[in-house]
Amino acid sequence: MAFAASIVSLPPSATPCVPKIQIQTEPISSKHNPQNRDLKSCKNLQEIKQIHAQYIKHGLVGDPSLLTKLIAKYSELGSPDSLEFAEKTFKMFKNSRRDRTSNIIYLYNSLVRGNSLVGAYHEAIAQYVDMLIDDLEPDNYTFPFVLSACAKNSSLFEARQIHGSVVKRGYHNDVFVSNSFVYCYGECGDTDSARKVFDKMSERNVVSWTSLICSYARGDRHREVISLFFEMVGEGIEPNKLTVVSVVSACAKLGDLDLGKRVLNHVECSALEFNGVMVNAVVDMYIKCGCREKARQIFDECTDKDLVLYNTLLSNYVKLGMATDALDVFRGMLDFGVKPDKITMVSVMASSAELSELSLGKQCHAYVLRNALWSWDSVENSLIDMYSKCGEQGLARRVFDQMSNNRTVVSWNSLIAGFARNGDVDSAIGTFDEMPERNVVSWNTMIGALVDESLFLDAIELLCSMQSQGIAPDEVTMVSVVTACGYLGALDSAKWAYRYIKKRGFHSNMRLCTALVNMFARCGDTQSAMEAFCSMKERDVSAWTAAIGAMAMEGNGKRALELFHEMVGRGIAPDEVTFSEVLTACSHAGLVEEGMLMFNSMKEYAITPHVIHYGCVVDLLGRAGLLDKAFEFIGAMPLEANSAIWGAFLGACRKHGNEKMAGRAARMLSECSGDQTGIHVLLSNIYASARRWGDVARVRMSMKERGMRKTTGSSAIEVGGVVREFTSGDESMSATSMLQEIEARLRDAGHASHLMEVLLDVDEQEKEYLLSRHSEKLAIAHGLVSSACGTPVRVVKNLRICSDCHSFAKMVSKVYDREIVIRDNKRFHFFNQGLCSCHDYW
């Protein structure tokens, strides 16, 4: 029998969002029943409410079948308002029933499914719990619906409880329920549980396989994804579109083109038709596997390109540094009538930044403002990065200041990187200090900025602060730290960095390992440099070049040549930098014939010599005393000699005391040297060596008029992990007192100062005093007094070592029985028992 219902009005203070419904007990005559209206035809909430009102008017809300359909329709609509109506109606229905019918299970299922659809996952799970509290038995539809909510909410604990209930009730053999568990465990990140459920299934369909494949893909287990795919098709299960997208994406992330082609061959042989999502995945796969032309061909042949496909190509081009191609695709996108979104604008602004296209960047900024894309932090961060790379740091700061409510750590990092990139380290440090929170990228950006500005000690100190705050350095951090250690020549710090890298397992990073080779080479520990090089599983041309450079700094030209030929024998082609290093090695070792062969062989590798290579040859010939040949070589060069070329020649003239050739070089230098301080200082020194004090005065007056200052000699030494720097003329008490003792012992051993190295018109006593205050001598004295006996003394000097300091270091190594290692701005000198590794050839 039907029951009537009436809407009860509430007092004005109440503000309900839905009408309150009461069930009346008096029967309604069937003659008042409305004609049946089809709920299926309802397209919105208003239409459903109208039918609901008719049910109420005619007392039909007590009809279980009609009410079931009504609640199901509310749930199916899947909006928060419709679900609220469904739940209130369901609660009244449930409270008014004395008997239990199968319809109530169906209604619970509808509510669970509806809440899950609108993102009310907790409510969906709560509905399932209410069902159990009502002592109702879930069916095989209930579990897929509630597991969908668990999956989307990552409710792994609840999913495992439901799993126990499923096994207890005997639904674990239902293929649809099992599929839901595979999917749910995969979404929650528990791939192993997903696999266990899958393996126990007596029946599997394409959904089973695809759910497991997606689970492995989500966990970045891409090899297993592809293996599962071929196992699946081997069992005769044809993939669906989601399977194909997941597997093709796995091939893309592996960068495995052969596997990708095998997958696509199988798909093309099946009856599966490609849709836009599949085409998008294929384009992405070809690009990530290095087949850019094929990816572009597929893209161009696609007749129904959508925004997603354009964004895929754009973002990949940006990641590959193909900024020009990205902008071409963007222009084509506009011509095609596709409206850019925020993802598009991030890619376009990144391209504008890469190409320093400020005008286009500003147009992007205007588009973002017009289309209300401003609120997405990635867009604002891209604007900061774009303005910074275009040299408009002021505009970048304005964008940053305007996003006060939307700043993230990425925003701060972008601003710091911009200041660093534009050489404003002070502002970068100030911004870094203001940051409310920092991540490892923040520290890396700041440490990298200090290294770029040659503030190596500050970079090491910042690393210590980073660690003290509990932030573990990553591979990017260590590249900067290793670079700083190398420039400082701080071997103790370098060894710590190497141990840390090995402990953290970073040694597989080729860039970092190459930096290690360079670091140890700069620290004068070529044995460790070669150990780091030999431990590399893979080596590119940069790694081989670093090893050759290590031999060049040591003066081991023969080993450098051996490494070069070994590299070529392994099929790795040398580049311009490789040849500059091997030519330098030949120059330092006096291997004139071998060096000329190397230079002439550059054309075999399709490399056109640059100025730096010609400078190496001039240095090679000049060091060997072949000044006439060097001069002829300069005259035969296909490009005009610059100040670096003439500077190398002038240095050779000074080394061999050829005043006549130096005069010719000086005339050429006067035409092209410009304001290069080093060239003028060298010219002044040559005149001083020839005791042409008038010419010395003229050159130095010219330098003063141009505002040029001679670079002060400085030397650094690390003792006990602390780096100490000395400058020429430094009056450090501990170093100078030790230096006086050293000089006395050296005089007793027969050492005499090279007074010709003092290029000033002063008496011999003054010359001796000036020589005694050279920075490397002070550093050696500090090392002897501060380090344990038998420990090598390692010094890094910013200028070329003079002959007097060279002779001094040789004698110290013999008298004090200590190895002395000095790295000047050209090479290393290893002094031991009165001898030097350069054999006095530098």
Side-chain angles (χ1 to χ4, degrees), residues 482 485-492 494-495 515-531 546 549-556 716 718 792-797 819-824 827-831 837:
V482 162
C485 292
Y487 276 101
L488 288 171
L491 185 60
D492 289 344
K495 288 181 176 178
L516 282 172
V517 177
N518 280 319
M519 174 189 72
F520 280 124
R522 285 182 171 275
C523 291
D525 189 352
T526 51
Q527 181 178 350
S528 295
M530 295 311 296
E531 285 177 4
M551 295 298 100
M553 292 194 73
E554 188 184 45
N556 193 342
E718 182 189 35
V793 175
R794 298 176 179 275
V795 176
V796 177
K797 182 174 171 60
E819 182 184 8
I820 309 293
V821 181
I822 297 180
R823 188 190 86 195
D824 67 9
R827 60 169 297 163
F828 267 98
H829 298 267
F830 298 88
F831 302 94
S837 60

Side-chain angles (χ1 to χ4, degrees), residues 171-241:
Y171 287 109
H172 56 284
N173 291 322
D174 186 292
V175 66
F176 299 106
V177 174
S178 295
N179 285 346
S180 298
F181 275 113
V182 175
Y183 166 75
C184 180
Y185 282 133
E187 286 289 309
C188 293
D190 190 355
T191 307
D192 293 337
S193 293
R195 184 64 196 244
K196 287 177 182 177
V197 174
F198 178 84
D199 288 340
K200 291 179 180 179
M201 291 176 67
S202 57
E203 178 188 353
R204 301 169 187 154
N205 56 22
V206 65
V207 177
S208 317
W209 288 93
T210 301
S211 297
L212 187 61
I213 284 171
C214 290
S215 174
Y216 278 109
R218 194 169 293 106
D220 292 331
R221 296 167 67 172
H222 307 303
R223 291 288 176 192
E224 287 97 328
V225 167
I226 296 164
S227 177
L228 276 171
F229 173 79
F230 288 113
E231 187 179 345
M232 167 186 165
V233 296
E235 292 192 9
I237 306 293
E238 287 297 325
N240 60 23
K241 294 174 182 179

Side-chain angles (χ1 to χ4, degrees), residues 440 443-445 447-448 451 459-460 462-464 466-467 471-486 492-507 509 511-519:
V440 68
W443 292 92
N444 288 349
T445 303
I447 291 172
V451 170
I460 299 297
L462 193 59
L463 170 71
C464 296
M466 175 183 181
Q467 291 181 296
I471 307 295
D474 63 7
E475 297 177 37
V476 177
T477 321
M478 296 313 297
V479 169
S480 297
V481 171
V482 162
T483 302
C485 292
D492 289 344
S493 299
K495 288 181 176 178
W496 170 86
Y498 187 44
R499 288 194 299 270
Y500 181 87
I501 289 166
K502 290 176 69 177
K503 181 180 179 181
R504 292 293 303 273
F506 295 158
H507 51 273
N509 184 312
R511 182 188 173 201
L512 181 54
C513 288
T514 301
L516 282 172
V517 177
N518 280 319
M519 174 189 72

